Amino acid sequence: MSAQQENLHEHHTPDPNWGYPHGSALTSQIKRRYRGGQIWYVLLMGSLIIAILTLMALLYTIINDAFGLLAIEYQNDPNRIVLEKQEEMLLADVNTFDSENDNMLAARIADDPNAIGFFGYAYYQENQENLKLLSIEGVAPNASTVTDGSYPLSRPLYLYSDADVLQSNQAANVFLNYYLTHVNNEIDDVGYFPLGAEAMSHSQQVWITANELALAPGQWAAINPDGVGGAVTIA
């Protein structure tokens, strides 16, 4: 073999270490791959956690839709919901049914043994064979507890007028007088609670003052509406 051929042979002989990093280059490459592996591990675990949470939410929705609102006692205390009037949470719930028709509300509650509703006492009276009154902190709704304010889910109803209207409109004046004279005798028939003695005395005194009458304390001037004509505007 000539020297030229020998040199050519040596020139084309591949380096057995060609293409593989050595030393610090190898260490750097291992670190890069390790960091890449850690990133992929974190992404995988994050995706797994999200998938588990999504599955739990889906299962909760399925159970909730199938069996109604899950009453978790330690998360949503019934007294806290009612007394703090968490309106937004109640109205946003998928199982909340809202209607201006109180008879429809009563019917929906009667059909579901786990339902709870809020509406006028008169509609309870009409459907009391299918409904149950609920006490709040041991206080049941009745004329006494509503009058003294110890039952919290109650409200007064008002009739508004002023002295100028009463003095210029005889029909409105006599109407209010008749109302204040007889309301407690009739109100039970429509399912409302009668006005307490103190509130009634105050209301009658307001009417007396508006009409500039000189009556003794506790005295009342009942007017016979027969023969009184005119219009009463209710707004």
Side-chain angles (χ1 to χ4, degrees):
M1 179 182 298
S2 65
Q4 184 178 3
Q5 290 176 329
E6 184 177 355
N7 290 338
L8 182 62
H9 174 73
E10 291 177 355
H11 178 74
H12 288 284
T13 299
D15 185 348
N17 296 319
W18 181 83
Y20 297 94
H22 300 280
S24 60
L26 177 61
T27 302
S28 177
Q29 185 177 33
I30 292 174
K31 289 181 178 180
R32 285 198 305 272
R33 292 190 176 184
Y34 178 75
R35 286 195 297 269
Q38 284 186 315
I39 293 173
W40 281 109
Y41 176 78
V42 171
L43 291 175
L44 176 62
M45 295 304 296
S47 300
L48 181 60
I49 292 173
I50 292 174
I52 292 174
L53 293 176
T54 303
L55 180 60
M56 291 175 63
L58 178 61
L59 289 175
Y60 175 83
T61 301
I62 293 173
I63 294 173
N64 196 38
D65 288 344
F67 300 103
L69 177 63
L70 295 179
I72 304 175
E73 180 179 359
Y74 298 105
Q75 293 184 5
N76 296 318
D77 178 65
N79 286 334
R80 180 169 172 265
I81 292 175
V82 173
L83 296 179
E84 294 185 6
K85 299 180 176 64
Q86 296 186 4
E87 179 181 0
E88 182 177 350
M89 184 177 70
L90 286 173
L91 295 180
D93 191 272
V94 295
N95 292 304
T96 296
F97 177 76
D98 185 20
S99 174
E100 295 289 337
N101 188 332
D102 287 339
N103 284 316
M104 184 177 294
L105 290 175
R108 291 287 293 266
I109 295 169
D111 289 340
D112 186 348
N114 297 314
I116 183 173
F118 311 91
F119 47 78
Y121 187 80
Y123 296 94
Y124 161 74
Q125 288 185 310
E126 294 177 4
N127 300 275
Q128 56 185 306
E129 67 278 2
N130 298 317
L131 300 175
K132 176 184 177 181
L133 285 177
L134 295 181
S135 298
I136 298 179
E137 296 186 344
V139 180
N142 54 52
S144 176
T145 58
V146 168
T147 299
D148 64 22
S150 58
Y151 186 75
L153 286 182
S154 62
R155 62 175 181 172
L157 299 178
Y158 295 97
L159 294 178
Y160 292 95
S161 187
D162 60 32
D164 291 339
V165 172
L166 296 182
Q167 293 176 11
S168 62
N169 188 329
Q170 184 185 24
N173 197 8
V174 173
F175 171 79
L176 283 179
N177 180 280
Y178 188 85
Y179 178 89
L180 292 172
T181 301
H182 300 285
V183 60
N184 278 357
N185 299 326
E186 306 295 335
I187 200 166
D188 282 336
D189 294 339
V190 295
Y192 289 175
F193 294 112
L195 199 61
E198 182 178 350
M200 174 61 77
S201 177
H202 173 74
S203 298
Q204 291 179 344
Q205 186 58 49
V206 170
W207 183 91
I208 292 171
T209 301
N211 282 275
E212 301 178 353
L213 300 179
L215 299 178
Q219 187 178 2
W220 176 241
I223 299 176
N224 186 346
D226 290 345
V228 177
V232 177
T233 301
I234 300 176

